[in-house]
Amino acid sequence: MSDGCCRTASRDQSGRAWVNEAVRLVEADANRSADTHLHVFGLPAAWGIDLYLKDESVHPTGSLKHRLARSLFLYALCNGWIHEGSTIVEASSGSTAVSEAYFARLLGLPFVAVMPASTSPEKIALIEFQGGRCHLVADAGSIYAEAARLAAETGGHYLDQFTYAERATDWRGNNNIAESIFDQLSAERHPVPTWLVVGAGTGGTSATLGRFVRYQQYPTKVCVVDPENSAFFEGWVNEDPSHVTGVGSRIEGIGRPRVEPSFQASVVDAMISVPDAASIAAMRWTSRTTGRSVGASTGTAMWGALRLVSEMRSAGETGSVVTLLCDGGERYADTYYDDGWLAEQGLDIGPYTATLERFYETGAWVEPTSAR
């Protein structure tokens, strides 16, 4: 029972100086990293449609995930979840872990990436190069629980990209990717794009784009492209956020065996399910056409973007379409760019390559008659 006296309580603030310096370091990294380029993809001018690729491969860690990692660290620091000496843990075997390892090293913090034991040595090497440690587990489905366990065991912090990606980035602006795209389009003939086309790994990027265009009252629509075996497409179509496939995606960086918590289906206007062979055909074709080596997630996005361009042409519409060059193709020399690997996977990219070449030459989009 209260005795009527005023009561006060406080917490030790000795760690605030370290947090302030950590935030400064992360922000300084952003200031040193100039905004990424928005490249024009050369469609025939007579079509009245412009296609752009936002080149996220030029970030210090080479992919779109650099933005996510920066946002996750700032979010955790400003929420008081990361302290001096905290062990940082993530469930990731890909580009997110590479970027998070970079920021952990920037702050002098240990970083552990929890990943399936089947993860390729090349991926492990990229994470270790940035100063991270890889913790392998036999069951791929257990990476989330194992990451949470390790964080609790070490008194550290589990970044949990699949939960926090949609909220760690300020979707109203603050130099997020959506604001950057619209700023860079401001002097173009179609400055407000008809479509923004992205894949979904965590769902954070599509959430940021979808919220931003609504906040700014733009008519722009967001299309999410989804590779084989991923749960996002069926989950969106059937309005089932619990949908799972239980199978991993072959297209690194996008696609998930479950609909992740960060995926905000309500701000997505359309989805396109893309066969893996189409993703890889578009990846190789885009690299040849632009002279820029791109990864397979960019191929997935380009397949979807060009299909939308063809639909706009058929409807007599003009406008612009923007998609992302998520990372460079140099990471995939032994997989997507290797014909032997394609044969082992049973993937025939020929029909999809023919579709792309015919479209570029004639403007006619003809779906492949066979798909594998």
Side-chain angles (χ1 to χ4, degrees), residues 18 71 78 81 91 102 132 157 177 186 209 220 223 246 271 319 323 328 366:
W18 183 89
S71 294
C78 294
W81 298 340
Y102 169 93
H157 175 63
I177 193 170
S186 61
L209 294 172
T220 303
C223 176
M271 288 198 68
T323 191
V366 180

Side-chain angles (χ1 to χ4, degrees), residues 251 275-285 296 299 336 341-342 347 349:
I251 306 303
D276 289 348
S279 296
I280 297 168
M283 172 198 75
R284 292 187 176 195
W285 179 82
Y336 307 132
W341 183 86
L342 289 184
L347 294 169
I349 66 173

Side-chain angles (χ1 to χ4, degrees), residues 141-158:
S142 69
I143 60 172
Y144 312 101
E146 182 64 5
R149 185 193 68 80
L150 279 177
E153 182 181 273
T154 60
H157 175 63
Y158 172 26

Side-chain angles (χ1 to χ4, degrees), residues 41-50 189 309 313 359-363:
F41 187 89
L43 296 178
W47 289 9
I49 302 171
D50 299 322
R189 64 172 176 170
V309 169
R313 290 199 71 237
F359 175 67
Y360 203 49
E361 292 171 4
T362 69

Side-chain angles (χ1 to χ4, degrees), residues 23-353:
V23 170
R24 186 194 68 78
L25 288 169
V26 174
E27 290 289 83
D29 176 83
N31 289 339
R32 291 193 302 272
S33 306
D35 198 5
T36 59
H37 307 299
L38 189 66
H39 301 299
V40 177
F41 187 89
L43 296 178
W47 289 9
I49 302 171
D50 299 322
L51 176 59
Y52 302 88
L53 285 85
K54 179 76 164 157
D55 188 358
E56 296 293 287
S57 71
V58 297
H59 285 295
T61 52
S63 81
L64 169 67
K65 299 300 185 180
H66 195 84
R67 289 184 189 268
L68 173 59
R70 179 192 295 132
S71 294
L72 288 168
F73 268 86
L74 286 173
Y75 189 71
L77 285 164
C78 294
N79 275 308
W81 298 340
I82 294 178
H83 310 281
E84 185 174 9
S86 293
T87 296
I88 307 301
V89 184
E90 183 61 281
S92 171
S93 60
S95 296
T96 301
V98 175
S99 298
E100 288 173 343
Y102 169 93
F103 282 104
R105 183 168 62 178
L106 181 70
L107 303 183
L109 302 175
F111 176 78
V112 181
V114 180
M115 61 185 66
S118 59
T119 301
S120 71
E122 291 81 7
K123 291 183 190 176
I124 292 172
L126 285 172
I127 295 165
E128 291 178 342
F129 177 78
Q130 295 293 346
R133 177 171 69 85
C134 299
H135 180 84
L136 307 181
V137 296
D139 176 15
S142 69
I143 60 172
Y144 312 101
E146 182 64 5
R149 185 193 68 80
L150 279 177
E153 182 181 273
T154 60
H157 175 63
Y158 172 26
L159 286 168
D160 194 0
Q161 58 168 326
F162 298 109
T163 296
Y164 294 109
E166 57 89 9
R167 67 195 72 170
T169 299
D170 186 351
W171 46 268
R172 290 161 296 190
N174 194 23
N175 194 35
N176 68 37
I177 193 170
E179 184 178 54
S180 174
I181 288 170
F182 280 84
D183 285 348
Q184 291 176 319
L185 285 173
S186 61
E188 300 298 305
R189 64 172 176 170
H190 304 297
V192 176
T194 304
W195 286 101
L196 298 171
V197 184
V198 296
T202 62
T205 301
S206 59
T208 297
L209 294 172
R211 288 164 168 167
F212 182 85
V213 297
R214 284 161 174 77
Y215 179 63
Q216 296 293 341
Q217 304 161 56
Y218 292 129
T220 303
K221 292 173 285 187
V222 174
C223 176
V224 171
V225 289
D226 206 33
E228 285 181 35
N229 300 325
S230 177
F232 291 118
F233 181 82
E234 293 296 335
W236 185 82
V237 168
N238 297 315
E239 299 183 359
D240 179 13
S242 65
H243 182 70
V244 297
T245 65
V247 184
S249 170
R250 279 186 294 203
I251 306 303
E252 292 186 23
I254 57 174
R256 297 293 301 166
R258 68 176 192 178
V259 178
E260 299 294 350
S262 275
F263 182 67
Q264 302 299 300
S266 58
V267 301
V268 175
D269 300 289
M271 288 198 68
I272 298 174
S273 179
V274 181
D276 289 348
S279 296
I280 297 168
M283 172 198 75
R284 292 187 176 195
W285 179 82
T286 300
S287 294
R288 291 194 302 272
T289 305
T290 64
R292 300 178 185 278
S293 181
V294 306
S297 59
T298 301
T300 311
M302 280 294 289
W303 182 269
L306 291 167
R307 271 194 56 181
L308 291 171
V309 169
S310 74
E311 292 175 7
M312 290 173 65
R313 290 199 71 237
S314 297
E317 299 176 6
T318 59
S320 58
V321 178
V322 181
T323 191
L324 306 183
L325 197 169
C326 301
D327 62 3
E330 63 279 354
R331 298 181 176 185
Y332 310 110
D334 296 330
T335 52
Y336 307 132
Y337 284 99
D338 183 346
D339 290 340
W341 183 86
L342 289 184
E344 290 174 2
Q345 299 292 318
L347 294 169
D348 179 11
I349 66 173
Y352 300 98
T353 302

